[in-house]
Amino acid sequence: MFLQILIPIFFGTYGNNIYTADFDTETRTFSNIVATPAHDASFIIKDEDGYFAVSENKDKPGAYTFSPDFKETSHIFSGIGEYPCNIYRDKKHNLVYTANYGSGTISVLKLNRQNRIKKVAATLEFEGSGPKVDQQSHPRIHQVFALNDDWLLANDLGADCIRILKVNPRTGMPSHISDFNLPAGCGPRIMTFNSDHSIIYLVTELSREVYVIRPDLSGDVPSLELVQRVKCDDYDDARGGADVCVHPSGKWLYASMRLEHEGIARFEIKSDGTLEYLDYTLTGSHPRNFSITPDGRTLLAACVFSEFVQVFAINDEGELIPANTQLKLGEERPTCVQTGYQK
């Protein structure tokens, strides 16, 4: 006899709905699946106030807010940059940032006291390009990431750099202060912290690598040091790095790769934060985003072109083992799977 433990999970999609579900951590099965209308809401986050999502629609890019019980409370479809693909909430100043891949901009949205979108308060524009003209003809912002309460980082896939933004302590409005340049043609995409926030791990889309970056906050402006570059597989000319996640134990790091040799690379995290490549597990097609359950025993991958969420067990060595469980979300293509609050 086992103890049933259900945890809430939520999903973004290319399609007409987003979803919540309960996930049984013992049987690795889904139940209580609920759909809420939202057009091409490809990335979604949650905090104590509710859910926040971008609409990565070609014709009507925008953003949504939802109540904690998953009801839409507001949306905006004007003034947002092209193809918003990621979202960040500044709870202190009641702002939402959208990273706009198509236009290479950042939209700053002001929320009212009910956490509904009030207006586009600011738009940040950048300059720059990279050597891979098909994807780097101009800036392409892919993520806004909080370094701390005072500083934000923004990954610019098009210009091969990390934009460093200072947050106005009174208004919360960001200003572009400097850039941290990365190797040409790498295409920085998504970053995350290690367990004690002393190291940043960045997955690159165009070079299929993970970069180990050490931040230093002792000066007037944060400085970043590129400590290590690690390949995720042997496909030197392939692109497709997608997402990166640290295991709750802090022992392993996982990075997903799309387009060619699609799967998830696993690394051991050393005591100094550097990485050692361990192995590679094949997945369904186009694992754009993935998440690990808080108990560290399951990885869920949103496989866009396979049109399912794929489930892997994680054993005591951190290895991924296919659980023979897949979740279809109606006619939608899953793009994002989350198991907890905004990181």
Side-chain angles (χ1 to χ4, degrees):
M1 186 174 181
F2 58 83
L3 176 64
Q4 184 184 45
I5 300 177
L6 299 178
I7 62 171
I9 297 181
F10 48 102
F11 308 92
T13 75
Y14 287 142
N16 297 317
N17 297 281
I18 55 176
Y19 293 82
T20 58
D22 290 330
F23 182 72
D24 190 315
T25 59
E26 291 296 327
T27 63
R28 296 188 171 91
T29 56
F30 301 90
S31 60
N32 302 322
I33 300 167
V34 177
T36 295
H39 198 38
D40 289 333
S42 62
F43 194 81
I44 180 170
I45 59 173
K46 175 178 169 48
D47 67 16
E48 294 86 349
D49 295 323
Y51 301 84
F52 305 84
V54 289
S55 176
E56 196 178 344
N57 183 263
K58 176 182 178 181
D59 299 318
K60 293 179 64 177
Y64 291 93
T65 64
F66 303 87
S67 63
D69 61 353
F70 212 50
K71 307 297 183 184
E72 182 188 327
T73 54
S74 68
H75 64 258
I76 187 170
F77 293 118
S78 62
I80 305 290
E82 298 173 5
Y83 293 111
C85 60
N86 203 279
I87 191 166
Y88 164 72
R89 165 100 190 272
D90 177 351
K91 185 175 176 66
K92 179 180 178 181
H93 299 101
N94 217 16
L95 299 172
V96 166
Y97 293 75
T98 67
N100 307 315
Y101 176 82
S103 55
T105 60
I106 295 172
S107 298
V108 185
L109 312 182
K110 181 66 178 176
L111 305 181
N112 64 20
R113 293 181 179 179
Q114 291 74 44
N115 301 309
R116 298 174 179 176
I117 299 171
K118 185 176 179 181
K119 64 179 180 178
V120 177
T123 300
L124 278 69
E125 298 181 349
F126 306 94
E127 295 182 352
S129 60
K132 299 185 178 180
V133 179
D134 59 334
Q135 287 185 277
Q136 296 188 306
S137 60
H138 60 83
R140 293 189 181 276
I141 303 298
H142 209 288
Q143 181 192 28
V144 177
F145 180 84
L147 190 55
N148 60 19
D149 287 344
D150 301 317
W151 295 93
L152 300 173
L153 305 178
N155 295 329
D156 192 333
L157 187 151
D160 290 321
C161 68
I162 298 172
R163 311 290 187 175
I164 299 175
L165 312 176
K166 182 174 179 58
V167 176
N168 184 303
R170 183 177 61 85
T171 66
M173 287 293 112
S175 56
H176 178 206
I177 301 300
S178 63
D179 298 325
F180 178 63
N181 294 318
L182 294 166
C186 69
R189 180 179 170 95
I190 293 292
M191 61 175 62
T192 190
F193 275 122
N194 68 342
S195 55
D196 66 3
H197 286 207
S198 63
I199 294 289
I200 293 169
Y201 298 111
L202 168 68
V203 66
T204 63
E205 177 166 336
L206 303 183
S207 64
R208 294 171 74 100
E209 296 174 290
V210 174
Y211 289 178
V212 180
I213 297 172
R214 182 175 290 116
D216 183 352
L217 301 176
S218 61
D220 292 336
V221 177
S223 63
L224 304 174
E225 177 190 2
L226 179 55
V227 176
Q228 184 188 24
R229 299 172 60 180
V230 186
K231 291 288 291 183
C232 291
D233 57 21
D234 296 329
Y235 281 60
D236 291 335
D237 296 326
R239 60 186 177 88
D243 199 9
V244 63
C245 188
V246 172
H247 190 270
S249 69
K251 295 179 180 179
W252 305 289
L253 178 135
Y254 304 84
S256 60
M257 301 289 118
R258 307 160 298 152
L259 303 176
E260 296 183 58
H261 194 221
E262 296 176 311
I264 296 176
R266 181 173 68 102
F267 303 86
E268 179 184 356
I269 299 177
K270 300 295 188 178
S271 59
D272 62 356
T274 58
L275 302 175
E276 179 180 339
Y277 177 83
L278 294 176
D279 53 35
Y280 195 91
T281 302
L282 296 178
T283 65
S285 180
H286 213 84
R288 171 175 166 142
N289 171 261
F290 67 94
S291 188
I292 298 172
T293 54
D295 63 5
R297 298 178 59 245
T298 305
L299 183 147
L300 306 164
C303 298
V304 181
F305 294 154
S306 292
E307 298 184 354
F308 57 63
V309 176
Q310 190 171 10
V311 181
F312 293 88
I314 302 176
N315 67 15
D316 291 342
E317 302 302 319
E319 298 168 322
L320 299 183
I321 302 167
N324 297 319
T325 304
Q326 299 173 357
L327 175 65
K328 298 280 288 184
L329 296 172
E331 300 299 321
E332 278 79 31
R333 292 182 292 165
T335 55
C336 170
V337 52
Q338 302 280 9
T339 61
Y341 287 164
Q342 172 179 284
K343 298 175 184 177

